Amino acid sequence: MSAPTRRLTTAQALVRFLSAQYTERDGVRRRLIAGTWGIFGHGNVAGVGQALVEYADVMPYHQGRNEQSMVHAAVGHARQLNRLSAQAVTTSIGPGATNLVTGAALATINRLPVLLLPGDYFASHAPDPLLQQLEHPVEADVSVNDTLRPVSRYFDRITRPEALIPSALQAMRVLADPAETGAVTLALPQDVQAEAYDWPEEFFAERVWSVRRPAPDPVELAAAVEAIRSAGRPLIVAGGGVHHSEAEQALTAFVEATGIPVASTQAGKGSLRYDHPADLGGIGHTGTAVSDALARTADLVIGVGTRYTDFTTASGTLFRNPDVRFLNLNITGFDAHKLAARTLVCDARSGLERLAERLSGHRVSEAYEADYRAGKERWDEIVEAAYRADDDSAVPTQTQVLGALDATVGDDDVVINAAGSLPGDLHKLWRSRSPRQYHLEYGYSCMGYEIPAGIGVQQAAPGTPVWALVGDGTYLMMPTEIVTAVQEGLPVNIVLIQNHGYASIGGLSEETGGERFGTAYRFRAADGTFTGAPLPVDLAANAASLGMDVLRAKTVRELREALTAARASDRPTCVYVETDPAPTAPPAEAWWDVPVAETASRTAAVEARERYDRKVADRRRHL
């Protein structure tokens, strides 16, 4: 007797399959694929598009305006839910598919799950070449979707209906794997999408993917305990893995038992609440004075769920103690072995709990605790000064904007940012009150991420106030998902800061001898330079034209009032503020390596190279 089957198109089978996938961790079950974003064209309109209509009752659909933005929204959703739920993104072939590449890179770099379903050319090659098909003279199986291979954690092109079965299962495995997750791509030839097949009923059965918490190896654990017991000035560097594994409480308990202080990466900020005595704030190039000072004298650096990017290590110049050693607790061996570290390859929560058990009774010296607590108090005064506005009628500075927002948000509000000068100011100054309040995408630092990510966060956490902080440069990159927020009735708040140019890269250009060339939004003068008055661009009017409520704030007082009104609104709202461009954030406490021209005729570049040579001499390879 033959096993029962169901005759469906490949696209119908895929959507039906996705609707029955779940994750489970610590007894909590979630939909693995919570919904599908899509922009339709030839290549997916008659396949996946028809399937989404067929199964609209079990697979929510979200209409996007830009393919890259759809991926950003899906990434925001996944991060808010600690990678336990993802979304799919379907596109046409051609530019619709290649627009996915930036979003896919962002997802994979940040280790966040998203399922990409780009259309592809006919597997049969019946109409060849077809509209938007890339023709390769010696490789007929290449398509534009091959650009997604290097930025995907798993990739397959489904050239026959039955090939979907093993590939779909592999795709779910990777999406749910805490060590391997990232962008997953199933390229779907448009003829195969519409082809019918007799699918085994088992393919559509509810399937639960267990998100494991691997425990540490006993030998590695013993070595880690000994390293911590023998350290005089240990420092924890908390990365995004703390949040992904929901290890915040375990970290707090570990810190309170041992007295070891915590500095955080951009992804790890909020691992401890900002007012915890052991929370020292950000570390590295955009870190706090107290974190970076301790990093320079630490004899043991305990990395928990961090990738150790150049911002965190100050391009290899931060950890200066000649006897410093590293202990890395990470779910991937790839990251755990960085900086020639002792390794503890395991889930962050599991590892911290086991360390706490084995270190019972161990605590750092009172002198060390007094040292870092005094440094924290000094830094808190610096934050207060940066936030304070003595004249409510004045044009606010960027740090005063953050101060006004800090006074407005509740503990569970989510603040989103990704690029420009804001990440540095936020890393130094923002006072995180809950694990998910601080949402910085700094693995790829992708301009345009914030607004669509805000939509994804709002979908993942309905009722949570969400703030997308964007400068004028970022806003101009990708504002179109405002229409999606309006369409879906999502009350995302945008804080749009106008400073007439690329403030962050302008400062970097000046520091490295580029003389701020090409970084300001100004009229072009007769000699080709960009000088003169700011461009007459009204970004607030643009946001309003896309359907947002817009509140313009010209003074500190008006800004506070506008932020309060935005938080109370049930509509997508933009708070527009033109800031005083004078920098008011504390300067960088550590270096970042951006190579400077080795030879030049202009004085600015020559002097920048002299500074560079002095700094690069401090680099150290930890072996």
Side-chain angles (χ1 to χ4, degrees):
M1 184 175 180
S2 60
T5 61
R6 191 184 312 189
R7 190 163 183 79
L8 301 172
T9 68
T10 303
Q12 292 165 355
L14 176 59
V15 172
R16 185 67 188 84
F17 167 83
L18 294 177
S19 71
Q21 307 303 303
Y22 294 84
T23 64
E24 186 172 71
R25 185 171 71 181
D26 303 330
V28 178
R29 181 178 295 193
R30 293 186 181 277
R31 279 276 297 263
L32 176 50
I33 305 300
T36 299
W37 288 89
I39 296 175
F40 296 109
H42 89 104
N44 70 337
V45 65
V48 174
Q50 190 282 326
L52 288 170
V53 173
E54 191 87 13
Y55 291 108
D57 57 331
V58 294
M59 178 57 68
Y61 165 70
H62 309 291
Q63 186 179 54
R65 269 73 198 174
N66 176 282
E67 290 84 1
Q68 182 187 143
S69 289
M70 294 193 296
V71 185
H72 293 336
V75 167
H77 174 277
R79 178 170 174 172
Q80 182 67 21
L81 296 176
N82 296 316
R83 309 192 300 186
L84 298 175
S85 180
Q87 293 177 321
V89 178
T90 179
T91 74
S92 64
I93 71 171
T98 51
N99 279 350
L100 295 173
V101 174
T102 297
L106 181 148
T108 297
I109 286 171
N110 285 282
R111 320 289 169 83
L112 292 166
V114 60
L115 176 62
L116 308 180
L117 304 173
D120 214 322
Y121 60 70
F122 282 63
S124 66
H125 291 258
D128 187 41
L130 70 153
L131 177 65
Q132 297 178 329
Q133 179 178 338
L134 171 70
E135 293 183 272
H136 194 289
V138 296
E139 295 181 80
D141 62 342
V142 168
S143 85
V144 296
N145 285 325
D146 288 279
T147 60
L148 289 160
R149 289 181 184 270
V151 292
S152 297
R153 294 293 287 171
Y154 179 80
F155 179 98
D156 194 14
R157 179 176 288 113
I158 310 301
T159 56
R160 292 184 57 84
E162 61 267 36
L164 176 66
I165 296 174
S167 290
L169 291 170
Q170 286 291 346
M172 298 304 103
R173 178 191 66 79
V174 173
L175 289 171
D177 191 307
E180 293 188 33
T181 195
V184 168
T185 300
L186 297 180
L188 302 172
Q190 56 181 309
D191 54 343
V192 177
Q193 288 181 48
E195 187 175 343
Y197 182 74
D198 293 325
W199 303 87
E201 279 291 343
E202 295 90 342
F203 185 56
F204 307 115
E206 183 176 294
R207 192 179 301 267
V208 179
W209 301 85
S210 178
V211 181
R212 59 188 179 277
R213 289 192 180 278
D217 175 82
V219 174
E220 287 192 336
L221 180 61
V225 169
E226 176 57 30
I228 294 172
R229 286 190 180 276
S230 61
R233 295 179 66 84
L235 173 66
I236 293 170
V237 176
V242 175
H243 294 308
H244 297 329
S245 64
E246 299 175 313
E248 298 90 356
Q249 291 184 3
L251 177 63
T252 301
F254 178 80
V255 166
E256 291 178 349
T258 64
I260 300 174
V262 176
S264 56
T265 68
Q266 287 279 17
K269 194 172 171 74
S271 295
L272 286 186
R273 188 180 156 97
Y274 82 95
D275 52 4
H276 191 286
D279 180 66
L280 307 183
I283 189 171
H285 177 62
T286 54
T288 68
V290 58
S291 287
D292 287 352
L294 258 67
R296 293 184 180 99
T297 61
D299 57 359
L300 179 68
V301 178
I302 306 169
V304 182
T306 178
R307 298 189 299 123
Y308 284 114
T309 68
D310 58 344
F311 259 57
T312 298
T313 67
S315 299
T317 64
L318 185 58
F319 304 110
R320 296 187 181 179
N321 187 326
D323 298 320
V324 67
R325 292 294 180 265
F326 295 84
L327 167 63
N328 291 338
L329 191 167
N330 204 292
I331 201 164
T332 72
F334 177 80
D335 289 313
H337 280 273
K338 290 176 178 176
L339 301 175
R342 293 181 183 274
T343 60
L344 201 58
V345 180
C346 60
D347 170 77
R349 181 196 288 184
S350 176
L352 288 167
E353 290 173 345
R354 301 302 192 281
L355 283 173
E357 292 169 2
R358 296 288 297 272
L359 286 165
S360 179
H362 174 76
R363 193 171 183 87
V364 299
S365 70
E366 292 182 1
Y368 184 47
E369 281 195 78
D371 182 18
Y372 71 69
R373 289 191 181 199
K376 177 179 173 63
E377 289 179 4
R378 291 191 296 271
W379 186 258
D380 287 344
E381 293 173 358
I382 291 172
V383 174
E384 286 291 344
Y387 279 1
R388 186 166 51 247
D390 296 324
D391 182 2
D392 281 0
S393 64
V395 174
T397 65
Q398 182 162 286
T399 57
Q400 289 168 350
V401 171
L402 300 184
L405 185 61
D406 174 80
T408 303
V409 300
D411 284 9
D412 295 323
D413 290 31
V414 179
V415 176
I416 302 173
N417 188 238
S421 58
L422 279 166
D425 291 358
L426 286 160
H427 198 207
K428 292 187 188 82
L429 303 174
W430 188 257
R431 302 189 283 205
S432 300
R433 306 175 197 179
S434 61
R436 274 285 163 237
Q437 183 175 82
Y438 188 86
H439 183 131
L440 257 287
E441 187 291 294
Y442 217 60
Y444 210 41
S445 187
C446 185
M447 297 178 74
Y449 171 81
E450 296 90 341
I451 295 172
I455 292 171
V457 170
Q458 195 84 79
Q459 290 174 329
T464 298
V466 176
W467 303 86
L469 275 56
V470 297
D472 50 345
T474 290
Y475 180 87
L476 286 167
M477 290 278 183
M478 205 165 291
T480 51
E481 289 326 297
I482 286 174
V483 177
T484 303
V486 172
Q487 180 181 38
E488 300 220 355
L490 298 172
V492 175
N493 298 310
I494 297 174
V495 180
L496 175 51
I497 300 174
Q498 172 65 275
N499 54 24
H500 301 289
Y502 302 117
S504 175
I505 208 67
L508 180 62
S509 173
E510 185 173 40
E511 175 65 22
T512 57
E515 303 177 48
R516 293 185 176 264
F517 178 76
T519 63
Y521 294 153
R522 304 279 177 171
F523 283 104
R524 184 189 293 271
D527 63 359
T529 60
F530 293 90
T531 60
L535 299 177
V537 176
D538 191 341
L539 300 184
N542 177 260
S545 75
L546 296 177
M548 291 200 96
D549 292 344
V550 175
L551 304 172
R552 295 176 184 258
K554 296 182 178 180
T555 67
V556 172
R557 181 184 300 107
E558 291 177 0
L559 174 63
R560 292 190 186 120
E561 293 170 352
L563 292 172
T564 300
R567 190 172 188 272
S569 176
D570 61 359
R571 290 245 321 136
T573 303
C574 174
V575 175
Y576 174 86
V577 57
E578 188 164 352
T579 57
D580 183 335
T584 52
E589 294 288 337
W591 187 57
W592 181 42
D593 188 352
V594 177
V596 176
E598 192 169 2
T599 180
S601 60
R602 298 180 69 86
T603 301
V606 172
E607 293 177 349
R609 182 66 194 198
E610 292 172 353
R611 293 192 298 271
Y612 178 83
D613 289 338
R614 288 194 297 270
K615 292 290 188 180
V616 79
D618 291 333
R619 193 196 317 276
R620 175 183 176 188
R621 294 194 181 276
H622 297 280
L623 302 172

